[in-house]
Amino acid sequence: MKSALLVVDVQRGLFQTTPAPADADAVVARIDGLAARARAAGVPVVFVHHEGEGGALTYGSPAWQIDPRLTVGVDDVRVRKTTPDSFLRTELAALLTQWRAERLVICGYASEFCIDTTTRRAAALGFSVVLVADAHTTHDKAHASGDQIRDHHNATLCAMKSFGPIIEAQAAEAISFAD
């Protein structure tokens, strides 16, 4: 099954904060390792950037840039978005169709917003989804820690069967990019 790796919103303005997102250093390291393995297997790597006019994530600003701990390959693709949905008003679906992708491996930030929405939308569009269980994160909230939010979404998203395509959560080290 042809795959693509989506790295959602791992940007300076979201990760270089005090406090940082839950388990941020380990999450970034896992994502970098996944991206290297994807590239080695010839799998497209897509970096999705969230942006908003006049805010911290203004297009092109230092905060908008990819976290410098991640390696961006020369053939990696960047997609700009303005909502939690990486598909809404972006070229992502067209790129995936062009690449004949059937399975999306999704990781990044924020578990309860952009990761959740992008995962649901991918399944609704007919893609099978591997949610990288230990490579998405968020900041702690008043009602739950970032780790609790990640665990909740790993369980909840994988329990959804009504879309048709399977959503499964796997640890980064267990993910294979072999067809």
Side-chain angles (χ1 to χ4, degrees), residues 67-82:
D67 186 298
R69 295 171 289 181
L70 290 178
T71 302
V72 179
V74 295
D75 293 326
D76 293 349
V77 173
R78 294 177 188 244
V79 170
R80 296 165 54 191
K81 70 176 180 62
T82 59

Side-chain angles (χ1 to χ4, degrees), residues 10-103:
V10 184
Q11 296 165 260
R12 286 181 180 177
L14 299 170
F15 276 75
Q16 294 182 353
T17 59
T18 303
D23 202 23
D25 290 336
V27 166
V28 170
R30 288 182 196 112
I31 291 171
D32 204 43
L34 276 169
R37 292 191 350 249
R39 287 183 207 101
V43 169
V45 176
V46 179
F47 286 93
V48 180
H49 290 254
H50 193 87
E51 64 186 58
E53 288 193 34
L57 296 179
T58 298
Y59 172 71
S61 71
W64 180 86
Q65 303 301 325
I66 296 296
D67 186 298
R69 295 171 289 181
L70 290 178
T71 302
V72 179
V74 295
D75 293 326
D76 293 349
V77 173
R78 294 177 188 244
V79 170
R80 296 165 54 191
K81 70 176 180 62
T82 59
T83 74
D85 183 345
S86 296
F87 293 92
L88 184 63
R89 296 186 298 270
T90 74
E91 68 277 15
L92 182 58
L95 288 168
L96 296 169
T97 298
Q98 176 186 336
W99 297 329
R100 294 186 171 88
E102 300 171 86
R103 178 182 86 144

